[in-house]
Amino acid sequence: MVTLDLRHVASPAVRDLLHLVNHPDFDRAQQQIEQLGGCTEPVRLTGRTTTVDTTTGEVLRSYSSAEEPTGSLLTACGNRRSSRCPACSRLYAADTYHLIRVGLSGGKTVPDTVRTHPRVFATLTAPSFGPVHNRPDARPCRCGTRHEPTDPLLGTPLNPATYDYAGAVLFNAHAGALWARFTTYLRRELAARLDLTQKAARAVMRVSFAKVAEYQKRGLVHFHAVIRLDGPDGSTQPPPACATVTVLTDAIRAAAPRARVSVTSDTVGERELGWGQQLDVREIAAFGTDAEFSDQAVAAYVAKYATKSADASGTLDRALFCRPCQGRGVTLLPHGTPLPCTACDGTGKARPLPRLAVARHVRQMIRTCWELGRLPEFADLKLWKWAHMLGFRGHFSTKSRSYSVTLGALRDARRAWRTEQARTHAGLPEPDPSTTLVVGHWDYLGSGYSPGAALLAAAVWHRKEQERQFTAEGGS
């Protein structure tokens, strides 16, 4: 009988996998990876937790990461970017779908009557910073070519030498501030149309919203938003009868042009940034209708873009440098220890940009972030930190306080369900929260799998994808 020792011929990942499979506690290691659902970059933690009976001082349960085969506890990374972690991105999209859907048709803590409130789906776009290659409906592009949908030229400037890259980057950097000013003017426009003072309008009506940011092909963000009118206490109350969808639509169209942000710099001059002329506002129909913008369709649409990021426009999904110092040469850690900057040579002179596998237009926007980020007047924008996002530094999905449930509440409910399932499976008694205390201490160890564990995680993700496809095709 001939025995082949694969350790001498297999790749390091396979050798590590063989070592993991032969571990006495492999079943537990596999269980941890299964529970992560195919997460590609899990967080590794070390520490322990103890459950104590406060009346007797008895230790009811204890857990230590030292008991794990790998010496650490694995938790999902939770990254929303599909290019970084498809598994966590899918879960984030599902949570976002429920968050949006609940705010449109009720459920959880939101009453079903919310579906009768006036609500619209609005898209606010960026202005033009120079002509770009596009696909007009009935005529060729300005360059004389009819571009295919996948043409890489789409969205790039016709004349890069005259394109306003500084304005484009500054718009991305101020997009969050523009949205905040838009909501302020929206409330004022609503009050004016209802012939009320702003104070009186706040007493009878509230504007609730949820929005996501999407990158256009030209590298500029625009916002998709669900905007709803409620009573003063939020989703539990209807707005006044005079606050109709028509009034809300007119107010949005009047508020968008008024939202402006002024920027002054000796280098780029005086700029006044605002939204583009393309503004789309459509009423959201009730669930179950055949309308294009039903609450279900809108929730699915918003959830789709909540997991996309700048990588969808051909740029990067992670920072170029971890700790830019804005020209000071060092970065101070929280405890005051100086750390050499990773973005400059230690004297404040910027390091050259690394070679990036991105389109020329995207690279120029990143370079513009790099150049503007060195100017003192733009230090607060942290353009070095957000160069990989082409200057955009806001959250990709946000909502007002009273729109619906929070992502945190959805995650807490899922965590509580999993904890209860684990307790029931282990046959443990249900803890009394009034007499038990959980004490824990955890430290961050790192992220990612060992090479062998990464192969197992990939297999888990592939299997779960096959199960989803089978279910989607009507399998049972």
Side-chain angles (χ1 to χ4, degrees), residues 6-18 451-452 455:
L6 294 178
R7 292 176 295 179
H8 299 294
V9 297
S11 66
V14 174
R15 291 198 298 269
D16 184 64
L17 177 60
L18 291 174
L455 292 178

Side-chain angles (χ1 to χ4, degrees), residues 127 129 178 258-264 269-275:
F129 295 100
L178 278 171
R258 295 185 61 186
R260 316 290 291 180
V261 173
S262 298
V263 177
T264 303
E270 294 186 2
R271 306 286 183 108
E272 192 173 60
L273 304 172
W275 300 109

Side-chain angles (χ1 to χ4, degrees), residues 3-4 18 48 57 71 99 121 133 137 150 152 165 211 219 260 262 269 276 287 295 321 354 426 452 456 465:
T3 301
L4 178 63
L18 291 174
R48 61 183 301 109
L99 183 150
F121 184 66
H133 294 274
D137 294 333
T150 57
Y165 279 101
K211 69 172 178 65
R260 316 290 291 180
S262 298
F287 172 72
D295 49 11
F321 298 94
L456 280 179
E465 277 296 287

Side-chain angles (χ1 to χ4, degrees), residues 164-450:
D164 186 8
Y165 279 101
V169 166
L170 290 174
F171 173 84
N172 279 350
H174 290 88
L178 278 171
W179 173 263
R181 297 200 176 187
F182 162 73
T183 57
T184 297
Y185 282 115
L186 175 59
R187 295 181 180 95
R188 294 177 181 177
E189 293 291 342
L190 285 169
R193 278 159 176 72
L194 299 180
D195 198 21
L196 298 171
T197 64
Q198 295 183 47
K199 182 177 180 180
R202 287 194 299 269
V204 298
M205 182 177 57
R206 179 190 293 252
V207 177
S208 300
F209 66 84
K211 69 172 178 65
V212 294
E214 179 197 359
Y215 275 85
Q216 297 173 298
K217 290 183 180 295
R218 53 185 176 145
L220 295 169
V221 295
H222 63 192
F223 290 143
H224 301 292
V226 175
I227 304 177
R228 190 186 70 213
L229 293 182
D230 299 326
D233 293 335
S235 60
T236 59
Q237 288 181 314
C242 55
T244 62
V245 170
T246 301
V247 170
L248 176 58
T249 300
D250 292 344
I252 291 173
R253 295 191 179 280
R258 295 185 61 186
R260 316 290 291 180
V261 173
S262 298
V263 177
T264 303
S265 168
D266 293 336
T267 304
V268 302
E270 294 186 2
R271 306 286 183 108
E272 192 173 60
L273 304 172
W275 300 109
Q277 295 182 353
Q278 293 183 347
L279 172 65
D280 187 47
V281 186
R282 305 193 189 189
E283 180 181 2
I284 299 175
F287 172 72
T289 64
D290 294 331
E292 178 183 0
F293 285 87
S294 66
D295 49 11
Q296 185 178 20
V298 168
Y301 187 81
V302 172
K304 170 185 175 182
Y305 285 104
T307 55
K308 285 191 174 183
S309 58
D311 56 296
S313 65
T315 184
L316 308 173
D317 61 0
R318 64 188 71 207
L320 290 170
F321 298 94
C322 58
R323 284 189 174 91
C325 68
Q326 300 293 346
R328 294 188 294 271
V330 295
T331 301
L332 293 180
L333 296 178
H335 46 73
T337 302
L339 183 71
C341 182
T342 59
C344 69
D345 61 4
T347 65
K349 183 179 179 181
R351 293 179 180 177
L353 281 173
R355 297 184 64 86
L356 304 173
V358 295
R360 180 181 302 177
H361 174 59
V362 171
R363 183 178 178 84
Q364 184 56 47
M365 289 198 70
I366 293 176
R367 186 183 300 279
T368 303
C369 289
W370 204 243
E371 295 169 351
L372 294 180
R374 294 186 54 78
L375 301 179
E377 57 266 38
F378 297 135
D380 292 341
L381 299 180
K382 301 181 179 180
L383 292 175
W384 281 13
K385 178 180 179 181
W386 299 107
H388 67 297
M389 303 302 290
L390 311 185
F392 179 65
R393 56 199 180 95
H395 293 287
F396 268 82
S397 64
T398 59
K399 73 174 191 67
S400 60
R401 186 183 302 272
S402 61
Y403 175 79
S404 69
V405 297
T406 64
L407 289 176
L410 294 174
R411 292 164 182 161
D412 289 343
R414 184 164 54 248
R415 188 180 304 112
W417 182 85
R418 289 176 176 173
T419 301
E420 179 63 19
Q421 291 294 309
R423 183 193 65 78
T424 304
H425 179 73
L428 298 174
E430 185 174 356
D432 184 353
S434 63
T435 60
T436 56
L437 175 66
V438 179
V439 180
H441 176 77
W442 295 96
D443 294 314
Y444 173 77
L445 181 63
S447 60
Y449 296 103
S450 67

Side-chain angles (χ1 to χ4, degrees), residues 11-32:
S11 66
V14 174
R15 291 198 298 269
D16 184 64
L17 177 60
L18 291 174
H19 175 75
L20 183 62
V21 170
N22 291 317
H23 194 283
D25 291 333
F26 169 70
D27 289 343
R28 171 55 187 164
Q30 186 180 28
Q31 183 185 28
Q32 275 209 71

